[in-house]
Amino acid sequence: MQHSTHKSANLVCGIDFSRFPKHVQFLSLASSVLGLFIVYGYIQEKLFHIPGFRSYGWYLSFIQFTFVSLISYVDSTFISRSPKRRELPPYYEFMILSWMTVGTIGLSTVALGFLNFPTQVIFKSCKLIPVMIGGIIILGKKYTLYDYCSVVLMCAGLIGFSLADQTVSPEFEPKGIIIICMALCFDAVFGNYQEKLLKKYPHFTNADIIFYTYSFGSVIIFTWLVATGQFLASLKYAAQHKDVYPLAMIYSTVGYLGVQFVLALIKSSGVLITTIVTTMRKVLTVVLSFIFFTKPFTFQYVWSGSLVFLGICISIWKRNRIAILNAISSLIRSVQAFVSSHSTPISKLDKTVLQV
C-alpha cells in the first residue's frame, strides 16, 4: 500500500500535490507555472537592461548552471529525498544531454544580446519548425496539412517579427536570429533525448537529471569562457555591477522551480493542459515585456505575434484533437449538471408562489 502511494506522489520541493483535490492541484500548479516563468522572464530582461550586460550572456548561463546544480543537489538530497542508489550514473549520456541543454539555454540567453526580448520568446515558441524539418530530411517522415499550415503561419510570423525588430529596434543584429535558430535546433532534440533517459533510467528523479545535466553544463560553459578569454572580463564586469549576482541567483532559483512545477503539472493534468498553460505564459510574458520595459513598438509585432500564436493553436489542436473534444464535452456536461441541480422545478416554484 505504501509502495503505491509513493509511486503516485507528485512532489515539488517536498510538497506532495497528489494529496490535494484535482481542482486545487490544477489551480496551484498552473498559477505557479505562470507566476514563476513571468518572474523568470522579467528578471532575464532586467539583467540585459544593465548597461553593458549584453556581452555577458554566456557568463549569466554559467551562473545559472552552477547555481541550479547546487539547488537540485539540495532538493534531491535533503528536501525531496531521492532514494539512495548504488550504481553510478551513465556519465557519457548525461554529457550528451548537457551539451543539448547548453545549446538550448545558453544560446537562447546569448541571443538576447542581439534581439529584443519579445522576439526571442516568439522564436523559442516555434520548436515545431526544426522538428518538422529534421523529421522530413533525416527520418523521411510525412506530415499532415495541419502541420504544414502551422509551420507556414509560424514562419510568416517569425519573418514579420524579425522585420519589425530590424526596423524599430536599435539592439537588433541579424546574427541574433542565427543564434536563436541554433538554440531551437538543440531544443528540438533535447526534449526527446531527456524523455529517453528518464525511461531508460527510471530510478533517476527529475532533480537527479537536472543535477548531473547542469553540473556537466557548467563545466562546459566554464571551459568556453576561459578558452575565449571571457571569464576574467566577466568577473571584472560583475564586480563593478552589484546587481548582477543577486538577480542571477533569483533568476536561477525561479527557473529551477518553474521547471519542477511544469513537470508536476504534466503529471497532474496531462500534456495538453500544460501546453496550453505554458503557451499562455509566453503570450503574457511578451505583453508584460512591452508594459514593464520601454522599447520601440509597431503594430507589425501584433499581427506577426498573432500568426505565430495561431500556428501554435493549430499544432495543439492537431496533436490533441480528441482530448480537446472530450474536454469540451465534459465541460458542457458539467455545466448542464450544475444548471439542473441549481434550478427550481416548476411545481415547487408554483407551491412557493401560492404560499407567499
Side-chain angles (χ1 to χ4, degrees):
M1 198 69 173
Q2 286 178 346
H3 178 67
S4 113
T5 307
H6 175 72
K7 271 187 80 174
S8 62
N10 195 4
L11 289 170
V12 180
C13 297
I15 301 171
D16 184 4
F17 282 88
S18 64
R19 296 192 296 181
F20 301 116
K22 271 288 181 186
H23 69 281
V24 175
Q25 288 184 51
F26 170 73
L27 288 173
S28 54
L29 292 172
S31 59
S32 297
V33 169
L34 286 172
L36 286 166
F37 276 109
I38 285 171
V39 172
Y40 179 84
Y42 174 82
I43 295 175
Q44 187 180 52
E45 188 166 9
K46 188 172 180 61
L47 278 162
F48 276 87
H49 274 72
I50 298 173
F53 189 83
R54 288 182 173 271
S55 305
Y56 298 99
W58 278 119
Y59 189 62
L60 174 60
S61 296
F62 171 69
I63 297 171
Q64 180 182 10
F65 274 66
T66 304
F67 201 66
V68 167
S69 301
L70 295 172
I71 297 170
S72 58
Y73 178 78
V74 171
D75 183 12
S76 176
T77 307
F78 301 108
I79 302 175
S80 298
R81 294 185 181 178
S82 304
K84 301 289 182 188
R85 293 173 298 280
R86 292 178 184 174
E87 65 272 27
L88 292 172
Y91 290 123
Y92 73 95
E93 291 189 296
F94 280 106
M95 280 295 291
I96 296 170
L97 187 63
S98 295
W99 277 103
M100 293 178 186
T101 311
V102 168
T104 302
I105 297 175
L107 290 172
S108 296
T109 304
V110 171
L112 276 174
F114 312 100
L115 300 172
N116 251 338
F117 180 77
T119 306
Q120 185 239 37
V121 174
I122 291 290
F123 266 84
K124 282 171 64 180
S125 304
C126 298
K127 188 167 64 174
L128 177 64
I129 297 173
V131 168
M132 269 188 68
I133 293 171
I136 293 168
I137 296 172
I138 300 169
L139 303 174
K141 280 188 176 182
K142 296 187 183 297
Y143 291 93
T144 65
L145 184 61
Y146 283 114
D147 293 315
Y148 286 110
C149 285
S150 179
V151 164
V152 167
L153 286 167
M154 286 182 189
C155 287
L158 290 178
I159 292 168
F161 227 90
S162 302
L163 291 173
D165 226 15
Q166 186 178 16
T167 305
V168 302
S169 174
E171 292 90 12
F172 178 84
E173 290 186 40
K175 65 179 174 183
I177 300 293
I178 297 170
I179 294 170
I180 196 66
C181 286
M182 289 168 62
L184 268 182
C185 293
F186 276 105
D187 195 18
V189 183
F190 167 77
N192 292 325
Y193 193 80
Q194 185 180 41
E195 187 179 347
K196 177 188 169 185
L197 276 189
L198 285 168
K199 286 179 179 175
K200 191 174 179 181
Y201 305 102
H203 52 278
F204 286 109
T205 63
N206 292 322
D208 294 325
I209 295 280
I210 291 171
F211 169 69
Y212 289 116
T213 303
Y214 277 72
S215 298
F216 290 137
S218 62
V219 173
I220 293 168
I221 298 173
F222 176 74
T223 306
W224 169 258
L225 287 169
V226 172
T228 55
Q230 297 179 55
F231 186 69
L232 292 177
S234 300
L235 286 177
K236 185 178 177 182
Y237 174 84
Q240 293 170 348
H241 296 80
K242 304 300 182 186
D243 291 348
V244 171
Y245 287 121
L247 285 173
M249 288 178 182
I250 297 169
Y251 166 76
S252 305
T253 306
V254 168
Y256 175 76
L257 291 174
V259 170
Q260 294 297 311
F261 276 102
V262 165
L263 294 170
L265 185 59
I266 290 171
K267 190 171 182 179
S268 170
S269 303
V271 175
L272 171 62
I273 297 297
T274 306
T275 304
I276 292 170
V277 170
T278 53
T279 301
M280 291 311 300
R281 185 271 299 180
K282 288 169 185 171
V283 173
L284 284 171
T285 301
V286 171
V287 171
L288 292 173
S289 173
F290 280 105
I291 294 172
F292 290 137
F293 296 95
T294 304
K295 55 174 66 70
F297 179 79
T298 169
F299 273 99
Q300 191 170 333
Y301 282 136
V302 177
W303 68 258
S304 301
S306 300
L307 288 177
V308 172
F309 181 69
L310 182 57
I312 293 170
C313 290
I314 291 173
S315 174
I316 293 171
W317 167 260
K318 185 261 174 183
R319 285 180 294 158
N320 305 277
R321 188 165 60 248
I322 295 172
I324 292 171
L325 291 173
N326 288 339
I328 293 171
S329 175
S330 174
L331 179 63
I332 291 170
R333 285 196 300 271
S334 300
V335 170
Q336 287 175 338
F338 177 81
V339 170
S340 61
S341 66
H342 286 77
S343 59
T344 309
I346 298 296
S347 57
K348 192 184 280 187
L349 184 64
D350 289 342
K351 286 180 184 176
T352 307
V353 171
L354 287 170
Q355 286 172 358
V356 172

